[in-house]
Amino acid sequence: MSEAFDCAKCSESLYGRKYIQTDSGPYCVPCYDNTFANTCAECQQLIGHDSRELFYEDRHFHEGCFRCCRCQRSLADEPFTCQDSELLCNECYCTAFSSQCSACGETVMPGSRKLEYGGQTWHEHCFLCSGCEQPLGSRSFVPDKGAHYCVPCYENKFAPRCARCSKTLTQGGVTYRDQPWHRECLVCTGCQTPLAGQQFTSRDDDPYCVACFGELFAPKCSSCKRPITGGSGGESAGTGGGKYVSFEDRHWHHSCFSCARCSTSLVGQGFVPDGDQVLCQACSQAGP
């Protein structure tokens, strides 16, 4: 009589049937699957002994059930990401959770080089200067109405230009005749002395220091021969003071307008011209 060869669970004979041997004895296929097989986390069916089983963390899947929850692509041989217990292929994950490049509209892939500014994201190679269209990378830039400029392009496009040298003013500068100037460019037309912060005047739109203007353009005193500078009626702004007296084509400083004989000041007084000289009325009446 033959020895019994039965399933360790259902006790049915295994002669002529497929079985699986375990440490605890032989099992018929149905009993083995019911006893030892894992349940698929996706379809909730047993993963039979003859099925390819995949597992991730503490979950088990049929090969056909291990797929992206969005596009249903099989993840058996694909890289994937788990987001809130859902399995996603890389493409779906990037579409759903990665930033979009503000320039090209494509996904900025995780781990790729990117730039972020003002709540927007760019691929590093897409973040370009709006002027020269070169990548800005880690260089300084200036935003302007949705555009971004490298510093040289911004200065060339928007920075004021010096009225003398036409180069851009990046900082400082002075204003003369409602135009910007570099401080070092605003100099006296005569002696080239810097005029920024100094008192100066102009002639035919050209700036002059007080000294050069007096020497070149101011009337000369008929007495001391020095230039008469400064506004009439104002404070002294140059040699001899600013107030002066004119008679015909001759001019005198107030301090120089005096009788040629007695030196009495003639400012506000009557006087008599005597050739190149002026005399007070008393000296004129006294004769030569």
Side-chain angles (χ1 to χ4, degrees), residues 56 59 69-70 81-88 93 96-97:
Y56 173 71
R59 293 183 290 168
C69 68
R70 298 202 174 205
T81 303
C82 183
Q83 182 73 22
D84 297 329
S85 297
E86 292 185 331
L87 300 178
L88 297 165
Y93 175 82
F97 301 103

Side-chain angles (χ1 to χ4, degrees), residues 117 127-131 136 141-149 158:
Y117 176 76
F127 192 56
L128 307 179
C129 170
S130 299
L136 290 170
F141 66 91
V142 182
D144 183 78
K145 298 177 181 178
H148 306 88
Y149 295 89
F158 298 106

Side-chain angles (χ1 to χ4, degrees), residues 190-219:
C191 65
Q192 302 301 304
T193 298
L195 298 177
Q198 307 297 320
Q199 184 179 17
F200 67 93
T201 187
S202 63
R203 174 90 171 202
D204 298 330
D205 292 339
D206 295 324
Y208 291 88
C209 66
V210 173
C212 284
F213 185 86
E215 288 296 329
L216 295 172
F217 307 111

Side-chain angles (χ1 to χ4, degrees), residues 54 66-69 73-80 87-89:
L54 301 175
F66 192 65
R67 57 183 181 266
C68 174
C69 68
R73 175 189 302 175
S74 173
L75 300 178
D77 299 305
E78 298 283 342
F80 65 92
L87 300 178
L88 297 165
C89 65

